[in-house]
Amino acid sequence: MVNTTIKTTKSQEIFASAQNLMPGGVSSPVRAFKSVGGQPIVFDRVKGAYIWDVDGNQYIDYVGTWGPAICGHAHPEVIAALHEALEKGTSFGAPSVLENVLAEMVIDAVPSIEMVRFVNSGTEACMAVLRLMRAFTNREKIIKFEGCYHGHADMFLVKAGSGVATLGLPDSPGVPKSATSNTLTAPFNDLEAVKALFEENRDQIAGVILEPVVGNAGFIPPDAGFLEGLRELTHEYGALLVFDEVMTGFRIAYGGAQEKFGITPDLTTLGKVIGGGLPVGAYGGRRDIMSMIAPAGPVYQAGTLSGNPLAMTAGIKTLELLQKPGTYEYLDKITQQLSDGLLQIAQETGHAACGGHISAMFGLFFTAGPVHNYEDAKKSDTAKFGRFHRGMLERGVYLAPSQFEAGFTSFAHTEEDINQTLAVAREVLSSL
Ligand code: HOZ
């Protein structure tokens, strides 16, 4: 079972060539293994809970292409639906009934969404929603939380999570001060800080945007009362509440975090799962707000490939698969088994650790915790995480290459996969 002598010669060759072709050899920084050491493995194919690299090594995967693969990679029904759709063409740039179908599914599932606009990525969805927040309220300032990541648009690159946190970058060069001067930040789970910002900026704050369960600073759930408190504060100060559910949407419950916690925001952004592995994002919410989007209203936002028929098809089939009874119970069961097991093994092998899970999303920090916000998360022993990551990889388990990313399971993961992962984790943690 345990193989610590994997050969990755081809991966290394390909990645070495890639360095001369693409910045850092990658198409997105989080893939580059910068904070965990070593080199990324180069993928050849994916199926179910597994990935194979170009050298033929197989790994149990807990990244799931950063979230979309909740049905497991390349689910046969998604692939079959895509084959059929492919025959009809790859892009229409015009209305298709597939958009209606996915829109209805999203509207039925997500409590806050009465109308939806499809885009091509979570970044795009968050950019658009920010414009809409400002247009609807006629206010310019927003509140975001330290360690939350809402894509790479200028206005959000302030104390951001994900790759920004992983690489330890301060705010990015190239982002003009004018783009971020209206972005206010508060620590996650700190209602008093949010209230203070509202007081200091009366009638100027368009809204609050957050990952209701943080996944981009590692896995950080909301404290009891935090989401309720934000809902009350935004009502009190006439601002909008926006849930960025790019990660949590259709993952921690079919209706996302808003269903799970019973808090209805005004607007929601989605991505990842709703594209079933193809590039999709979406934003939606109250009909009166969404009606401001062009061409229904004056707020401009557009896209050549938006509502792409292949992406819609993969999304529709993925959501259909998620509707099967017992799906979320199963996801919760196996993810709890994984998360509890990792914490127990860390304790038994003498490592300070904390973490948890909600449905198919989990995290493990190498700090005693508790972790309520990004400052707490930064107390983690990231060097140890790097060694843990490398040890797991060498033994056939692929984890997100950063302490500041959540992990993801799928319903393709079996109890045997989880047990195997825990056996590997015991061996690695015992050796650290
Ligand atoms: N949003 C993904 C998880 N943090 C990362 C995707 C990327 O930046 O490549």
Side-chain angles (χ1 to χ4, degrees):
M1 173 189 70
V2 174
N3 172 14
T4 54
T5 57
I6 59 162
K7 293 212 174 5
T8 54
T9 321
K10 282 191 195 162
S11 265
Q12 286 173 36
E13 282 169 13
I14 293 168
F15 190 62
S17 304
Q19 305 277 347
N20 291 323
L21 303 170
M22 296 171 282
V26 289
S27 296
S28 189
V30 293
R31 304 174 190 177
F33 279 40
K34 283 283 185 198
S35 71
V36 291
Q39 289 196 349
I41 53 161
V42 176
F43 286 23
D44 179 49
R45 66 194 167 94
V46 293
K47 188 76 184 165
Y50 310 116
I51 56 182
W52 286 264
D53 68 17
V54 286
D55 291 278
N57 302 301
Q58 180 180 337
Y59 306 81
I60 304 172
D61 177 30
Y62 293 102
V63 181
T65 185
W66 300 95
I70 194 166
C71 304
H73 293 289
H75 190 285
E77 290 187 40
V78 176
I79 298 294
L82 281 171
H83 274 300
E84 205 175 304
L86 200 51
E87 292 299 322
K88 294 184 171 183
T90 58
S91 176
F92 300 161
S96 83
V97 71
L98 296 166
E99 293 164 273
N100 294 24
V101 175
L102 188 58
E104 273 179 14
M105 293 176 95
V106 168
I107 289 165
D108 285 350
V110 184
S112 67
I113 298 188
E114 294 173 348
M115 290 185 105
V116 64
R117 165 63 61 87
F118 292 113
V119 292
N120 300 288
S121 69
T123 287
E124 213 186 312
C126 291
M127 283 167 63
V129 98
L130 175 58
R131 183 175 302 151
L132 182 56
M133 288 162 77
R134 288 172 163 167
F136 184 79
T137 57
N138 209 14
R139 299 175 178 181
E140 296 205 350
K141 294 186 180 178
I142 58 153
I143 298 175
K144 77 173 280 288
F145 293 92
E146 294 160 14
C148 280
Y149 179 71
H150 306 292
H152 61 81
D154 284 357
M155 309 74 72
F156 291 121
L157 286 186
V158 184
K159 297 185 182 169
S162 191
V164 184
T166 300
L167 299 176
L169 296 174
D171 308 327
S172 173
V175 175
K177 283 203 171 48
S178 58
T180 55
S181 58
N182 287 316
T183 306
L184 313 174
T185 59
F188 194 75
N189 278 323
D190 189 341
L191 283 176
E192 284 308 310
V194 176
K195 188 166 175 57
L197 288 173
F198 271 119
E199 278 298 315
E200 286 158 23
N201 298 274
R202 271 191 174 267
D203 300 329
Q204 297 175 65
I205 295 176
V208 176
I209 185 167
L210 75 156
E211 296 174 75
V213 176
V214 183
N216 283 293
F219 170 82
I220 309 176
D223 290 346
F226 179 60
L227 300 177
E228 291 84 341
L230 290 179
R231 183 64 283 186
E232 281 163 21
L233 283 173
T234 46
H235 276 150
E236 185 182 336
Y237 289 91
L240 299 175
L241 180 63
V242 183
F243 279 7
D244 176 346
E245 297 230 41
V246 170
M247 255 189 204
T248 52
F250 295 91
R251 176 162 285 280
I252 66 169
Y254 189 69
Q258 51 201 273
E259 176 195 309
K260 179 94 191 163
F261 295 102
I263 304 296
T264 305
D266 301 295
L267 293 165
T268 299
T269 56
L270 294 167
K272 299 192 188 282
V273 168
I274 58 157
L278 274 83
V280 180
Y283 60 102
R286 280 168 36 193
R287 185 175 294 276
D288 58 330
I289 308 176
M290 289 303 292
S291 298
M292 289 191 76
I293 295 293
V299 178
Y300 201 72
Q301 182 273 310
T304 298
L305 290 169
S306 296
N308 173 271
L310 295 179
M312 297 293 103
T313 298
I316 292 164
K317 184 49 78 179
T318 297
L319 298 199
E320 278 173 14
L321 289 165
L322 289 172
Q323 287 172 2
K324 289 197 178 148
T327 298
Y328 288 89
E329 288 78 3
Y330 178 75
L331 288 169
D332 191 62
K333 188 178 93 170
I334 54 154
T335 316
Q336 174 155 18
Q337 191 186 335
L338 177 67
S339 175
D340 289 357
L342 288 172
L343 288 172
Q344 190 182 334
I345 293 165
Q347 193 185 31
E348 287 169 8
T349 51
H351 298 283
C354 68
H357 85 290
I358 301 176
S359 181
M361 185 172 172
F362 70 94
L364 176 78
F365 290 110
F366 282 111
T367 175
V371 172
H372 293 287
N373 56 39
Y374 183 42
E375 279 307 307
D376 294 339
K378 283 197 287 188
K379 292 178 191 147
S380 296
D381 185 339
T382 52
K384 184 182 282 185
F385 178 83
R387 295 196 298 281
F388 176 64
H389 183 273
R390 174 64 34 192
M392 296 296 281
L393 188 77
E394 287 172 350
R395 292 163 177 81
V397 177
Y398 188 74
L399 299 171
S402 168
Q403 176 72 101
F404 302 118
E405 296 282 358
F408 300 121
T409 51
S410 75
F411 63 72
H413 286 81
T414 62
E415 287 195 29
E416 199 188 327
D417 292 325
I418 305 295
N419 288 334
Q420 185 172 339
T421 303
L422 293 175
V424 167
R426 183 174 292 282
E427 187 174 312
V428 175
L429 287 170
S430 301
S431 72
L432 293 184

